Amino acid sequence: MNEVAQISEFGKILIFLITGIILLCLIFFLNRLLAPNNPTAEKLTSYECGEEPTGNAWLPFNSRFYVIALVFLLFDVEMVFIFPWATVFGNHEIIAADPRWGWFALIEMFVFLGILIMGLVYVWRKGDLDWIKPKPTIPTTNSRVPAALYDKINIQQNAFKIKEFALESVTTDMAAPVAAATPDAPPVRKPMFKPTFKKPANDA
């Protein structure tokens, strides 16, 4: 009589996750307990491959780095999909029950890899993986407005000249109306008290 398993496959996965979390928390606790805590200015600086960091860490990165990250992510996810296929293809019990499962899994995985490789070749041939494109494409539009009209507008805008800022003329022009507008203004009153400062007494 076959014994019934007391724990299912999902229960094993749950025990594995709980054990991993407990071990991770234990390692962090031991690290905090045993590791010396002596922060210095040099330790708190950002690590740049062993070189002295210069400037601010918040810098704009080139957008081409994101293309490399997306390609890496694509093939990283591909490996996640290959793992279940490998388990089915390498299971002798499934293949012994029905040999068609092995061939079906093999063909399906080749189709999946072929689609990804075709996409990679397409992007490669298009030049999107190059760091600097050798032949930049000039954008075109189907606008009905002739290019001569844009040139005419640019010439008209360049014809207008902005006056240069002169501080002396502005101050003199603004001071004259103020003086003329207030001829009967009362004189500025002087303060009623005069501050006095005590001189230090000479020791001699």
Side-chain angles (χ1 to χ4, degrees):
M1 183 176 180
N2 295 329
E3 295 181 359
V4 180
Q6 298 294 326
I7 187 169
S8 63
E9 297 296 329
F10 293 103
K12 295 177 183 178
I13 296 174
L14 180 61
I15 292 174
F16 179 77
L17 291 175
I18 293 173
T19 306
I21 293 172
I22 292 174
L23 289 176
L24 185 63
C25 295
L26 181 63
I27 290 171
F28 275 110
F29 176 73
L30 291 176
N31 181 30
R32 189 174 183 84
L33 186 66
L34 301 176
N37 187 11
N38 186 18
T40 59
E42 186 175 359
K43 288 181 181 179
L44 296 178
T45 56
S46 57
Y47 179 72
E48 294 184 359
C49 299
E51 302 201 2
E52 291 291 334
T54 57
N56 192 3
W58 295 95
L59 295 174
F61 286 92
N62 198 323
S63 59
R64 298 183 183 94
F65 285 109
Y66 295 101
V67 178
I68 297 173
L70 287 175
V71 172
F72 168 76
L73 183 63
L74 172 66
F75 288 98
D76 195 21
V77 174
E78 175 190 354
M79 297 304 297
V80 174
F81 282 107
I82 288 177
F83 181 74
W85 164 79
T87 57
V88 173
F89 188 74
N91 195 337
H92 299 288
E93 296 178 359
I94 296 176
I95 295 176
D98 192 352
R100 291 178 296 178
W101 278 108
W103 291 106
F104 176 74
L106 183 64
I107 294 172
E108 184 182 14
M109 187 46 56
F110 271 112
V111 170
F112 176 70
L113 291 176
I115 293 172
L116 291 178
I117 292 172
M118 285 174 59
L120 179 63
V121 170
Y122 171 76
V123 175
W124 193 355
R125 293 288 297 172
K126 194 177 178 182
D128 291 336
L129 296 180
D130 296 335
W131 190 255
I132 298 176
K133 290 187 176 182
K135 295 180 180 179
T137 57
I138 300 174
T140 57
T141 181
N142 295 327
S143 176
R144 297 181 180 179
V145 180
L149 182 59
Y150 290 108
D151 296 336
K152 184 178 179 181
I153 293 174
N154 292 330
I155 293 172
Q156 290 178 356
Q157 289 182 352
N158 294 330
F160 298 104
K161 294 183 179 180
I162 301 173
K163 293 182 180 180
E164 296 182 359
F165 177 74
L167 182 61
E168 296 179 357
S169 61
V170 173
T171 53
T172 53
D173 294 342
M174 292 180 64
V178 171
T182 58
D184 299 333
V188 179
R189 297 180 62 182
K190 295 182 179 180
M192 299 299 293
F193 65 92
K194 185 176 181 181
T196 58
F197 300 97
K198 294 182 179 181
K199 296 181 179 180
N202 296 328
D203 297 333

